[in-house]
Amino acid sequence: MSILLAVFPLLLAFGVETIERGTFADAMSWIASNPSLFAINALIYCFVLLLIYGLIGSLFPSVALTALILFLAAMISYFKSKMIGEPFFPWDLLLKKEGTNIIPLVSSNAVLMRVSVAGAVVIALFMLRLLLPRFRLPVAGRIALVLLASASLQGMAERTPMAQKLYDRAGVSEIVWNQRDNYGANGFGLAFTLNVQNSIVSKPAGYGESSIATVAQQISDRRSASAASPTDSQPNVIFIMNEAFWDPTLLPDVTFSEDPIPTVRRLQSESTSGYLLSPQFGGGTSNVEFEVLTGNSMSFLPSGSIPYQQYIRQPVPSLASYFENNGYKSMGIHSYDGWFWNRDNVYKWLGFESFKSKEKFDNPEYKGTFISDDEVSRGIISAVEESDRPMFIYAVTMQNHGSYDDGRYEQNPIEVQGNLTADAKQLLETYTHGVRDADQSLQMLIDHFEQSGEPTVIVFYGDHLPMLGLDYDVYKQGGFIGSSSWSLEEQKKMRSVPFVLWSNFELPQDYVPTISNSFLGAYVLDKLGMELPANFAFNLNMFRQYPGLLSNLVVDADQNLHQKAPAEATPLIDQYRELQYDILFGGRYLANYLDSDYLTKSALPDYNMEFQVPASVAAPAEAEDSL
């Protein structure tokens, strides 16, 4: 039995790396180059096997169950990396229902083949119990194995001195800022285990009330120096985060029969516009919301984490609570299930007075699988018309959500031409149809508020670039990026989405080449002449010096690109990190010095999820499609 317990983890490690890397050759190449790291991965799987063996008490069913769990995790990691460039993280286990949404994206024959092979291996391992001895353990031995395996796995995750010594001898080098490289260098099991500790946000080294007091004084001094007077006007402020909105005409080797975004194109020349630097690609919409609404940055949180799921469990100051404190009615609108990304709970903590999710749309119009963008625009119009107060609305659309190989439209009005495969052409045309509809839904809002004359500002943007095929296929075929390692410029392009700002009253026109999502709220409040709350005031200063901030890309005021923050930027970025920690996890010391009502708001608003769209602006009874 001891021989089997030594051999099985090695075979499991080889199987996991083959699945996670995609080919036998890639797995063998990594193992040959990194035998010590391979051994640590096998050791981790050995402890997992021993844990399950102790729980079940029979060897071969334990091996089969261990293989099933590990192979499934590796397969998820492989396809998640292919789709959005990120592997499988420990905190992905918190996604629950959200994870089922990737199933339609990975239903190809290649996927079924991989699942079948992995399933056959698991079944074969289970069937060995019919041919070989059972190797059952007594109860005392099972308890001992469970305790030993649990303690060992916990020690490796928490990096106890013994575990750290083992890591050092094996040459473990954790690449926290690039998790795809981290998994590639260290192996799936080790990288996953190391990330267990990364799910805990550590207190910054210099954090304390004195450091926050220093930042508060700097914010106060800048406020006094600017001598800006709060504006007396209270226009409606409407943020529209349109699902996967991007300009497909940026693909250099592709042509389009017509411009899919004439409204956005006009606003880019007539109004304030620019490009947002998104922390996400192809998914993770709630992380973009988190940055825009709170002014906090994903750069200071573990790679792949989801604040809506993991960190927001108490009132957090946001644009919603800011506008509420200033006499507005704040409302969230999302044309999908309220539980998705835990919004029905998180929006309460962010201070929204009401939240209209899919369940509250009255007989909505569908385009394909999802509620149409036009329906969301009608909902916005209805909310403003019914309110007796100026409104802050944060709307999130769903119509153009991937995948784009579902034939959701009877025909695509815009034809694309280029050196594309038939599948790539179909994906791009379906996506472009959705972009066209998004642009038209924006024009619907502009037409309404131009006629109504009610002072209104609309900020329209995408959350991230769309996932157009596995492994960035359409982007490569369209000449947008190369096939090898990306340059800093390519990294920036793959995270840059257009934004436009429209108003029916005069505002100065600006072009903003780069702005991180976490700075957008501060920028808009400043644009409107509104007094910025403390953390947004800090963000505005940060934006003016370093407008783009991702974990692996920093853009300075001269638009120079840096893989890591320049030395001169470190003090300011460290202060930003400390402020974020203070608000999300720390003592909220900033409230002792500035904006205490806003920063320490503990009472939840009279939260209403029963908002209905009046029949006068509701969609026609016959929708194009339904769930």
Side-chain angles (χ1 to χ4, degrees):
M1 184 176 70
S2 59
I3 296 176
L4 292 175
L5 288 175
V7 171
F8 278 137
L10 295 171
L11 295 176
L12 289 172
F14 176 71
V16 166
E17 292 306 318
T18 299
I19 294 172
E20 213 271 340
R21 295 173 189 276
T23 67
F24 287 105
D26 287 343
M28 288 300 300
S29 176
W30 176 76
I31 292 170
S33 301
N34 304 278
S36 297
L37 296 177
F38 174 70
I40 291 182
N41 279 266
L43 180 62
I44 291 171
Y45 301 148
C46 180
F47 290 135
V48 174
L49 173 57
L50 292 177
L51 176 63
I52 295 175
Y53 188 18
L55 293 172
I56 293 178
S58 184
L59 179 59
F60 288 107
S62 300
V63 173
L65 181 57
T66 303
L68 176 63
I69 293 171
L70 295 177
F71 290 172
L72 179 60
M75 204 167 298
I76 291 171
S77 187
Y78 172 79
F79 286 108
K80 186 167 179 264
S81 294
K82 287 292 185 182
M83 289 188 294
I84 62 175
E86 292 181 345
F88 183 52
F89 298 114
W91 40 89
D92 287 337
L93 298 172
L94 300 173
L95 295 185
K96 300 177 183 177
K97 299 183 210 175
E98 291 89 347
T100 62
N101 283 264
I102 70 168
I103 294 176
L105 305 178
V106 293
S107 57
S108 66
N109 291 334
V111 178
L112 296 177
M113 177 64 72
R114 291 175 183 272
V115 172
S116 298
V117 171
V121 172
V122 172
I123 292 171
L125 289 170
F126 185 81
M127 295 301 291
L128 285 176
R129 72 192 300 264
L130 303 177
L131 304 174
L132 297 172
R134 297 295 179 92
F135 297 113
R136 289 193 175 274
L137 283 176
V139 173
R142 292 172 60 182
I143 294 174
L145 274 188
V146 169
L147 293 176
L148 171 65
S150 299
S152 299
L153 288 171
Q154 181 179 359
M156 297 187 81
E158 293 182 354
R159 310 181 205 193
T160 60
M162 183 179 295
Q164 189 60 54
K165 186 175 181 180
L166 178 65
Y167 294 157
D168 292 341
R169 285 187 175 182
V172 175
S173 178
E174 188 179 13
I175 311 171
V176 178
W177 58 91
N178 189 325
Q179 288 291 343
R180 197 169 183 178
D181 287 351
N182 191 35
Y183 278 61
N186 292 309
F188 174 81
L190 176 56
F192 187 92
T193 301
L194 293 174
N195 271 319
V196 170
Q197 190 180 62
N198 290 338
S199 62
I200 302 171
V201 180
S202 300
K203 181 173 70 174
Y207 172 72
E209 183 167 6
S210 61
S211 66
I212 297 300
T214 299
V215 179
Q217 185 61 54
Q218 292 172 357
I219 294 172
S220 180
D221 291 345
R222 279 194 293 271
R223 280 178 169 175
S224 300
S226 64
S229 300
T231 179
D232 293 329
S233 64
Q234 288 190 307
N236 299 308
V237 180
I238 301 169
F239 280 62
I240 303 173
M241 189 169 74
N242 192 274
E243 172 62 37
F245 186 85
W246 177 66
D247 181 0
T249 67
L250 293 174
L251 295 168
D253 298 338
V254 179
T255 59
F256 296 77
S257 59
E258 64 179 83
D259 185 1
I261 54 170
T263 301
V264 168
R265 195 81 64 204
R266 185 183 74 251
L267 294 178
Q268 286 176 329
S269 63
E270 298 176 357
S271 186
T272 290
S273 66
Y275 285 89
L276 286 164
L277 196 61
S278 174
Q280 301 296 133
F281 170 83
T285 296
S286 70
N287 287 353
V288 180
E289 281 180 53
F290 168 77
E291 287 206 338
V292 174
L293 285 169
T294 69
N296 295 314
S297 174
M298 290 299 301
S299 301
F300 306 136
L301 299 174
S303 177
S305 59
I306 303 162
Y308 277 20
Q309 296 280 358
Q310 297 170 252
Y311 308 128
I312 298 182
R313 295 291 185 271
Q314 62 178 334
V316 172
S318 75
L319 288 175
S321 58
Y322 167 80
F323 279 102
E324 278 284 324
N325 288 349
N326 283 274
Y328 279 70
K329 177 178 179 180
S330 63
M331 180 180 187
I333 298 178
H334 182 40
S335 52
Y336 201 58
D337 299 293
W339 57 260
F340 203 73
W341 296 128
N342 199 30
R343 285 187 180 92
D344 49 7
N345 292 313
V346 169
Y347 276 16
K348 297 177 185 179
W349 297 121
L350 294 182
F352 280 97
E353 182 177 329
S354 62
F355 175 35
K356 180 183 177 183
S357 58
K358 183 184 77 173
E359 300 85 353
K360 303 306 174 185
F361 280 78
D362 183 15
N363 193 27
E365 173 193 25
Y366 281 77
K367 286 287 188 73
T369 306
F370 303 108
I371 291 175
S372 71
D373 285 3
D374 280 357
E375 189 67 41
V376 174
S377 290
R378 286 189 282 267
I380 292 171
I381 292 169
S382 171
V384 173
E385 287 185 341
E386 289 213 326
S387 178
D388 58 357
R389 289 181 284 156
M391 291 207 69
F392 168 71
I393 294 177
Y394 196 92
V396 184
T397 71
M398 277 294 287
Q399 179 184 330
N400 212 20
H401 196 285
S403 63
Y404 307 102
D405 59 355
D406 56 0
R408 68 184 66 176
Y409 307 115
E410 292 183 2
Q411 60 179 3
N412 293 315
I414 298 178
E415 183 179 2
V416 302
Q417 295 290 338
N419 189 23
L420 303 173
T421 64
D423 288 343
K425 183 175 185 295
Q426 185 270 320
L427 283 175
L428 186 55
E429 287 186 345
T430 299
Y431 171 74
T432 301
H433 188 157
V435 168
R436 170 182 174 271
D437 286 357
D439 187 85
Q440 292 177 348
S441 73
L442 173 60
Q443 186 62 53
M444 175 194 297
L445 287 173
I446 291 173
D447 291 343
H448 171 81
F449 289 109
E450 279 182 337
Q451 295 171 9
S452 74
E454 185 172 357
T456 301
V457 174
I458 298 173
V459 186
F460 181 92
Y461 55 96
D463 50 355
H464 51 69
L465 273 70
M467 189 191 73
L468 298 173
L470 292 178
D471 204 22
Y472 315 102
D473 188 39
V474 173
Y475 297 101
K476 292 177 180 177
Q477 292 188 40
F480 194 66
I481 56 172
S483 299
S484 57
S485 298
W486 295 351
S487 65
L488 289 177
E489 185 60 40
E490 286 177 317
Q491 290 184 45
K492 180 173 177 284
K493 289 198 303 182
M494 292 298 287
R495 294 298 180 97
S496 296
V497 293
F499 85 91
V500 291
L501 187 151
W502 174 87
S503 65
N504 56 5
F505 57 93
E506 187 173 352
L507 284 176
Q509 179 182 350
D510 289 329
Y511 174 69
V512 186
T514 303
I515 178 171
S516 281
N517 289 101
S518 54
F519 303 145
L520 181 62
Y523 175 82
V524 172
L525 295 180
D526 182 65
K527 189 82 172 173
L528 296 176
M530 304 181 77
E531 185 176 11
L532 276 66
N535 59 322
F536 283 84
F538 180 90
N539 285 8
L540 184 65
N541 178 57
M542 184 83 195
F543 158 69
R544 288 168 174 165
Q545 298 183 59
Y546 297 96
L549 181 63
L550 299 178
S551 59
N552 59 351
L553 178 65
V554 176
V555 184
D556 64 27
D558 296 323
Q559 297 301 303
N560 297 312
L561 308 183
H562 310 268
Q563 186 171 11
K564 295 182 180 180
E568 60 271 19
T570 300
L572 188 61
I573 292 175
D574 285 347
Q575 287 183 331
Y576 188 12
R577 186 192 304 272
E578 290 173 16
L579 276 182
Q580 177 166 316
Y581 184 88
D582 185 62
I583 291 171
L584 292 179
F585 311 107
R588 297 200 171 186
Y589 299 128
L590 185 62
N592 296 337
Y593 303 93
L594 297 169
D595 303 344
S596 59
D597 290 342
Y598 162 74
L599 290 167
T600 62
K601 185 176 181 181
S602 58
L604 293 175
D606 183 14
Y607 194 63
N608 172 27
M609 292 190 65
E610 299 302 319
F611 187 94
Q612 295 287 336
V613 182
S616 60
V617 293
E622 295 185 2
E624 288 190 21
D625 199 356
S626 62
L627 284 174

